[in-house]
Amino acid sequence: MSFKDQAVVACILLFVVFMPGCKSSGEVSTTPTTANADTGTATAKKNTAPPAKSNADGTLPSGTGVEKEKPAPGTGNVQGKVFYNEKPAANIEVKLCETFSQYVSGCGGETFITKTDSAGEYLIKNVPPRIYEGLTVKVFDTKYYVFATSGIVQNAKYKIEDGKTFFAPDTHLFKQDLKLLSPKAGSKTAPSNIEVKWDAYPDAAYYKFSIYADSASGAKPEYDYINKRVDGLSYALDKPLSPGSYRCTVMAYNGNDIKLAESAGDITFTVTGDAAKDTAK
């Protein structure tokens, strides 16, 4: 099984998925609403509800909430909130895309853009009623976006109706700046006594690491080491890895199980030697 196949299995447990910046045409900017000063310090409650299930037509159902503004006749609105570490994330770019290709061109067709206010809230106003294929939230000032899909791994479809406001799922951003100390990118190591180590991350209560095998290199996946929870800053693997190429990532979570950060996604290392002989020693 390749890096990609194993990553798909692991991603089922994630709330959001990183994706590169979208290319789009026909973009329309919408003005973010003014925040209420009393809500600027509000925090998100832990989301204990199960992920929303798609409607029969494949669209994501609207949530509930209080409309910030009524849509103009013949149009609909999209409203939502963005958080980081359960606190409102201000000045974050949000895109509603008429069409969306996750692996090719990104946003396409008519695209509406807005930004969150100081309370982390956004309002995309007066959009033509139709089914839209993408709703993305930019990860601060990086080139990455996440999907506003409430636990669904891939991008969802959104049915915007005449005269109604679609309430999008809350989006919890995470960063990609957690520092992995070992194994180092490009390093070579023996099959046994491998230790995964990382720097402490602010506000992290625990971590999860994953080691993905590149089957084309002869490496074999060890599913015990995918989304492995660790309360400290290191973990010594208790079984050897087969020779081949592997990719390692570490993720940090706060005490409410909200993802805060992950390490760079391109850190690979090579296991050399013979795992069977190494085990026998």
Side-chain angles (χ1 to χ4, degrees):
M1 185 177 288
S2 66
F3 287 158
K4 182 178 178 181
D5 294 333
Q6 295 165 67
V8 168
V9 173
C11 282
I12 293 174
L13 301 177
L14 301 181
F15 285 99
V16 290
V17 175
F18 269 129
M19 53 164 285
C22 307
K23 295 180 180 179
S24 58
S25 60
E27 294 184 348
V28 179
S29 294
T30 62
T31 304
T33 56
T34 302
N36 184 323
D38 292 336
T39 63
T41 56
T43 58
K45 295 180 180 179
K46 181 179 178 180
N47 182 12
T48 56
K53 294 183 179 179
S54 297
N55 296 317
D57 61 359
T59 60
L60 193 70
S62 173
T64 58
V66 178
E67 286 186 319
K68 299 174 74 67
E69 193 173 314
K70 287 285 186 182
T75 70
N77 288 348
V78 179
Q79 192 172 316
K81 300 177 182 180
V82 181
F83 299 92
Y84 174 71
N85 195 14
E86 302 184 274
K87 297 179 177 62
N91 202 37
I92 300 296
E93 181 181 278
V94 181
K95 283 185 179 182
L96 178 68
C97 312
E98 180 181 1
T99 62
F100 193 89
S101 174
Q102 184 173 351
Y103 299 110
V104 183
S105 58
C107 287
E110 192 170 16
T111 301
F112 297 83
I113 306 174
T114 191
K115 287 190 174 183
T116 58
D117 59 26
S118 61
E121 300 178 356
Y122 62 87
L123 175 64
I124 302 175
K125 301 189 294 185
N126 305 330
V127 302
R130 63 163 76 99
I131 291 178
Y132 290 83
E133 296 183 352
L135 181 60
T136 64
V137 181
K138 191 173 183 180
V139 182
F140 302 102
D141 58 353
T142 72
K143 64 180 180 180
Y144 296 105
Y145 290 80
V146 297
F147 301 121
T149 52
S150 186
I152 297 174
V153 173
Q154 297 181 340
N155 56 304
K157 295 181 179 180
Y158 309 83
K159 186 176 183 179
I160 309 306
E161 300 181 80
D162 184 4
K164 296 183 179 180
T165 292
F166 180 91
F167 291 94
D170 289 350
T171 300
H172 291 271
L173 297 179
F174 58 92
K175 299 180 181 180
Q176 203 175 23
D177 58 354
L178 190 155
K179 187 176 181 180
L180 180 64
L181 301 177
S182 176
K184 294 185 179 297
S187 64
K188 295 182 179 180
T189 182
S192 296
N193 302 317
I194 297 173
E195 186 174 22
V196 183
K197 299 174 66 176
W198 54 90
D199 271 349
Y201 200 85
D203 297 324
Y206 66 93
Y207 302 84
K208 290 183 180 181
F209 77 86
S210 295
I211 295 178
Y212 303 111
D214 179 4
S215 57
S217 71
K220 297 179 181 180
E222 289 288 351
Y223 293 104
D224 288 344
Y225 301 144
I226 293 181
N227 279 333
K228 178 74 172 181
R229 175 169 171 156
V230 181
D231 292 329
L233 299 177
S234 66
Y235 186 88
L237 305 191
D238 54 7
K239 63 180 73 174
L241 297 180
S242 299
S245 179
Y246 295 83
R247 180 170 62 87
C248 184
T249 62
V250 179
M251 299 172 288
Y253 293 82
N254 70 13
N256 282 334
D257 304 321
I258 300 297
K259 185 175 176 180
L260 302 176
E262 69 178 16
S263 57
D266 58 354
I267 299 176
T268 61
F269 67 99
T270 301
V271 173
T272 61
D274 189 320
K277 290 182 180 180
D278 200 68
T279 304
K281 291 180 180 179

